Structure formats: structure tokens, C-alpha cells
Amino acid sequence: MHDLTNACSAFLREAVHGRSGLLNVFTPHATSGLAVIETGTGSDDDLLAALRDILPADGRWQDRHGGPGRGSGHVLPALVPPHATLPVVDGALELGPSQSVVLVNSDRDSSERAVRLSFLS
């Protein structure tokens, strides 16, 4: 899990010049998703634990891309979607006081992930 909140805010400071609209965040990977969640208080660890319970890395999966036990990662984006659309008010990300935007990556062998940010006004 990687917190993207600061990167999103930096993008908005550079790109939107105080306007209001929507920030679209997208990750173009089959084994990654985006979540809005509280971080640092245990909720992030709880999310990862829940995903491990729901999507165990074992041989039960039909999808064998990447080898046995890797199919669960390809189901992740159905539960943690690869996109998020977030409100922007006067150039600032409008999250709740405890919310963060995080990338969830289930592929332990490929930790480098791209994220695309776009602003709709």
C-alpha cells in the first residue's frame, strides 16, 4: 500500500490554479487498485488483512497468469477498483480529515506501479 495523497495535492497545486472540479486517479495495472481510507491508525493494515482473507494467494484460482497463487491478484481490481474520482474545491482535494488516497498493489514481484492523474473542471 502506498499513500498518494501528497502526490495528488501536488498535482492539483501545479495543474488546476484554484479551480473546482474532479480529480481522476487511475492505475493501469491488472493487479492494483485505489482506495480512500484512513492510514496510520491500523485501518490500512486491516484492509490488507481483509484482502488476504478474501483473496488468498493459493492455487484455487483459475487465472494462472504469473504462476500458481497469483490469480488472486487479478481479482483485486474488482474489489478495489483501479480508479477513483475525488472532489476538488478551490484547487484543493476535498477529503475528510482522516482520509487518504492509497494505491493497493497485490503483485509482490512487481512493486513499481504507474498512476495517472487528470483534472476535470
Side-chain angles (χ1 to χ4, degrees):
M1 188 175 294
H2 181 74
D3 192 333
L4 300 173
T5 310
N6 289 337
C8 291
S9 294
F11 169 79
L12 292 171
R13 280 191 300 277
E14 292 291 320
V16 308
H17 310 290
R19 294 177 291 159
S20 295
L22 298 171
L23 173 66
N24 187 61
V25 186
F26 177 74
T27 182
H29 301 283
T31 58
S32 297
L34 296 158
V36 176
I37 189 169
E38 182 177 26
T39 58
T41 61
S43 295
D44 41 355
D45 292 330
D46 290 340
L47 173 61
L48 293 176
L51 290 171
R52 280 191 294 272
D53 288 346
I54 296 168
L55 302 171
D58 59 22
R60 73 182 74 193
W61 305 97
Q62 298 292 320
D63 181 344
R64 302 274 189 244
H65 182 194
R70 303 279 303 271
S72 63
H74 293 120
V75 177
L76 174 78
L79 302 174
V80 182
H83 57 86
T85 302
L86 306 166
V88 176
V89 177
D90 298 329
L93 196 55
E94 191 74 7
L95 293 174
S98 298
Q99 290 180 315
S100 296
V101 182
V102 297
L103 172 73
V104 180
N105 178 24
S106 64
D107 190 344
R108 293 177 299 272
D109 295 332
S110 185
S111 60
E112 194 166 311
R113 290 288 177 247
V115 175
R116 296 181 182 147
L117 304 174
S118 57
F119 178 71
L120 307 166
S121 177

